[in-house]
């Protein structure tokens, strides 16, 4: 009888402990959902997407003469009819809306440039900072001459947004596109630098 009484007390204690653990587990399950890919991170991304789109489209309009416009899709329907998280870039031009992959290298570069600047501005704003330097390293090679002119034009348009813009290129036709140049010449004694 004493053993049964002890076991009854133990059963009550274990039941209380189980209930507390189930409560904690429920809390952890909620936290898991909140911080999982469909929780707070997804909400932050959803809130940032329109801001990035607006900034990128503003720059893309200047680079392409209003010819291109982009949109981010963050959800896609599967064949089964389910909805999955994704990040697809849809670009519209005079031929309609197509996926990013269906554009030429030069067109993709313009989109990349606009999205990178937009994302950088968003991150700087959220950090309470200002973008001060823009570096474009060999970004002109994939562009035709009109595309290069438009990109130089776009850089000149946004130059007031930055204290310093550094363009790294091997293309001779771009030498006169910018007012100040640092030319690096390879010699037998090492690289020589001159400011023009």
């Amino acid at each position: 009888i004493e053993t049964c009484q002890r076991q009854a007390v133990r059963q009550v204690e274990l039941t209380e402990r189980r209930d507390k653990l189930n409560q904690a587990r429920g809390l952890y399950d909620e936290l898991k959902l909140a911080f999982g890919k469909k929780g707070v991170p997804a909400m932050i991304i959803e809130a940032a997407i329109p801001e990035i789109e607006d900034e990128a489209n503003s720059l893309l309009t200047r680079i392409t003469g209003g010819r291109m416009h982009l949109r981010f899709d963050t959800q896609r329907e599967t064949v089964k009819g389910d909805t999955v998280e994704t990040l697809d870039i849809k670009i519209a031009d005079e031929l309609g809306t197509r996926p990013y992959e269906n554009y030429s290298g030069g067109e993709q570069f313009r989109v990349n440039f606009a999205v990178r600047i937009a994302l950088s501005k968003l991150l700087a704003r959220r950090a309470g900072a200002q973008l001060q330097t823009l570096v474009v390293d060999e970004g002109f090679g994939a562009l035709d001459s009109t595309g290069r002119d438009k990109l130089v034009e776009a850089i000149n348009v946004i130059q007031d947004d930055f204290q310093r813009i550094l363009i790294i290129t091997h293309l001779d036709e771009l030498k006169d596109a910018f007012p100040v140049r640092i030319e690096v010449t390879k010699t037998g004694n090492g690289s020589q630098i001159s400011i023009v």
Side-chain angles (χ1 to χ4, degrees):
I1 292 175
E2 286 176 14
T3 302
C4 286
Q5 288 172 339
R6 280 195 307 271
Q7 291 300 332
V9 170
R10 182 162 161 69
Q11 180 184 14
V12 169
E13 290 170 356
L14 289 175
T15 301
E16 287 175 3
R17 185 170 174 220
R18 183 194 65 198
D19 291 345
K20 285 181 184 177
L21 288 173
N22 279 337
Q23 273 185 326
R25 179 179 169 194
L27 178 62
Y28 290 129
D29 285 344
E30 285 181 35
L31 288 172
K32 179 181 167 186
L33 287 174
F35 292 103
K37 70 177 188 175
K38 293 185 178 183
V40 173
M43 291 170 52
I44 291 170
I45 291 170
E46 286 292 329
I49 291 289
E51 194 174 339
I52 296 169
E53 270 183 7
D54 291 345
E55 189 73 46
N57 280 322
S58 173
L59 184 56
L60 197 56
T61 296
R62 290 185 270 174
I63 295 172
T64 65
R67 197 176 67 78
M68 294 174 79
H69 177 69
L70 67 82
R71 181 184 80 240
F72 293 111
D73 286 342
T74 57
Q75 294 183 339
R76 182 177 356 130
E77 196 170 308
T78 65
V79 176
K80 293 180 181 179
D82 299 332
T83 301
V84 294
E85 300 292 323
T86 185
L87 183 58
D88 294 330
I89 301 174
K90 301 290 184 177
I91 306 163
D93 63 6
E94 64 276 1
L95 299 176
T97 301
R98 297 174 286 162
Y100 172 86
E101 298 79 19
N102 292 356
Y103 283 86
S104 71
E107 290 168 322
Q108 286 181 2
F109 176 81
R110 289 177 215 148
V111 170
N112 294 344
F113 182 75
V115 170
R116 286 177 181 151
I117 296 289
L119 188 55
S120 297
K121 284 185 175 185
L122 171 81
L123 293 173
R125 236 185 339 269
R126 292 211 171 164
Q130 181 183 3
L131 278 182
Q132 297 183 1
T133 304
L134 170 64
V135 178
V136 179
D137 186 2
E138 296 296 342
F140 293 87
L143 302 175
D144 58 16
S145 62
T146 304
R148 282 194 291 268
D149 292 343
K150 290 284 185 190
L151 187 54
V152 168
E153 216 174 276
I155 289 169
N156 288 329
V157 168
I158 64 170
Q159 70 184 351
D160 292 338
D161 296 349
F162 302 94
Q163 283 185 349
R164 192 171 299 104
I165 297 178
L166 303 173
I167 308 297
I168 301 166
T169 185
H170 289 92
L171 300 175
D172 288 335
E173 59 265 25
L174 289 174
K175 284 185 176 182
D176 297 325
F178 303 102
V180 178
R181 294 188 314 271
I182 300 172
E183 290 189 1
V184 180
T185 309
K186 190 185 268 189
T187 68
N189 296 328
S191 296
Q192 300 296 315
I193 298 173
S194 60
I195 298 177
V196 183

